[in-house]
Amino acid sequence: MYLLYFSDGPRAYGKRLMVPHCRKRWAFQVNLGGSCTLTVQERGETRHLRIEGPWATVAGPECSHAWSGLPEDRNEVAVFHFSAVSPLLESVVGRSGWRAFPITEEQVAAVREWAGRCREALEERHLARQIFRIVEGELSLMVLKTIPESELGPPPDLAELKVAQAIAWYTTRLASGPTIGEVAQALHLSLAHLRRLFHRATQRSPQAVLSRVRFERAIELMRDPRITLEQVAENAGFGSASAFSRAFRAAYGVPPVVYRRQLKNEAEGQTKIRRHPDSEHKEGNGH
């Protein structure tokens, strides 16, 4: 999932003509204040929605829409375009669908914070993908909270829910190198039950899934040339550069320094690199 476009600030949509068209991406637009008009074309019909004050909208990649307004209209927006959204939001809204709803001042403050995170991530590029994923999740959740339960379908499978919670808990504590036992304890589960849930939800062990989380974090950090391998190892929960190097070589077949060089070459369009295998790993940290 990528943030393909981001913009925020004042707008005066009434000063220019916008023709409805498909963005080919998931478009969230939040009206933080002021007035404008949303025009949507669906099933051969054109609909105009007048927006006054704080509103949020989401439009699927195949939804033809445009923003306009009266000559005197002024408003402030935050716009986020993502390559993908959560599967639940996609199933409810549909790729050619859209939703629009008023939001509270508290939600306006939250959106401003999410916009600030995206702006910083685009400038610094440090852990940008993780930040974009979090912001997309928050925006999707804001939309989903307005959807009637009857449209959301059955509640999530318990195994999938617990696995998602386990991964989230583990991800926020990577630097401390938590063990699988600590993950189970945090979720108030026995270690054996946690393993059963992971196998039911992912057909893989907790060790394999959480090991991949660590390697994904490490690779994301290695994309930043300012971060040393020692810092990568510490932040991804490997403890030391030597332990990280051994684990990485066992998983990828090359040392981290070589892989990092390949990442640089890939960014420059010179080569393709080997991806993480789906097999389990036996490295340490109590796994």
Side-chain angles (χ1 to χ4, degrees), residues 60-76:
E62 298 166 17
C63 174
S64 179
H65 65 285
W67 295 91
S68 61
L70 303 174
E72 64 273 17
D73 279 347
R74 299 291 183 275
N75 63 324
E76 182 187 0

Side-chain angles (χ1 to χ4, degrees), residues 145-160:
K145 285 182 177 179
T146 70
I147 307 298
E149 289 186 8
S150 59
E151 293 185 47
L152 296 177
D157 177 81
L158 177 61
E160 294 179 358

Side-chain angles (χ1 to χ4, degrees), residues 170 177-179 214 237-238 243 247 281-287:
Y170 184 83
T179 65
R214 286 196 299 159
F238 290 92
H281 306 286
K282 299 179 181 180
E283 60 273 11
N285 273 351
H287 306 328

Side-chain angles (χ1 to χ4, degrees), residues 12 31 175 187 214 253 259:
N31 194 63
L187 270 63
R214 286 196 299 159
Y259 195 94

Side-chain angles (χ1 to χ4, degrees), residues 54-256:
W55 274 65
T57 64
V58 60
E62 298 166 17
C63 174
S64 179
H65 65 285
W67 295 91
S68 61
L70 303 174
E72 64 273 17
D73 279 347
R74 299 291 183 275
N75 63 324
E76 182 187 0
V77 301
V79 185
F80 312 81
H81 289 182
F82 293 99
S83 60
V85 294
S86 68
L88 179 57
L89 182 65
E90 180 169 357
S91 67
V92 170
V93 175
R95 294 183 63 82
S96 61
W98 63 283
R99 298 284 173 140
F101 52 92
I103 61 175
T104 66
E105 290 298 334
E106 183 179 356
Q107 289 173 313
V108 167
V111 172
R112 291 187 190 278
E113 180 184 346
W114 303 336
R117 291 184 188 178
C118 289
R119 195 180 305 108
E120 292 175 2
L122 289 168
E123 293 173 355
E124 298 294 332
R125 306 192 65 81
H126 180 60
L127 299 181
R129 190 175 300 178
Q130 281 78 7
I131 292 172
F132 299 152
R133 186 177 295 120
I134 291 171
V135 172
E136 179 276 322
E138 295 284 7
L139 288 165
S140 291
L141 183 60
M142 186 171 67
V143 177
L144 290 169
K145 285 182 177 179
T146 70
I147 307 298
E149 289 186 8
S150 59
E151 293 185 47
L152 296 177
D157 177 81
L158 177 61
E160 294 179 358
L161 177 62
K162 287 298 182 182
V163 166
Q165 291 174 340
I167 293 173
W169 186 91
Y170 184 83
T171 301
T172 60
R173 295 163 177 81
L174 270 182
S176 63
T179 65
I180 301 299
E182 289 170 336
V183 175
Q185 185 177 17
L187 270 63
H188 307 290
L189 301 171
S190 70
L191 184 56
H193 189 39
L194 181 69
R195 286 178 174 143
R196 285 194 294 272
L197 291 173
F198 264 84
H199 278 290
R200 191 166 75 192
T202 70
Q203 291 75 55
R204 301 173 69 198
S205 72
Q207 291 93 331
V209 174
L210 299 182
S211 173
R212 180 158 189 165
V213 170
R214 286 196 299 159
F215 281 118
E216 287 177 348
R217 171 68 63 82
I219 290 172
E220 189 68 30
L221 292 169
M222 283 197 295
R223 294 181 185 277
D224 189 335
R226 298 169 297 179
I227 302 176
T228 67
L229 287 181
E230 189 68 40
Q231 292 171 322
V232 171
E234 291 176 0
N235 281 276
F238 290 92
S240 67
S242 58
F244 171 54
S245 182
R246 288 193 299 271
F248 194 92
R249 184 163 193 153
Y252 289 85
V254 295

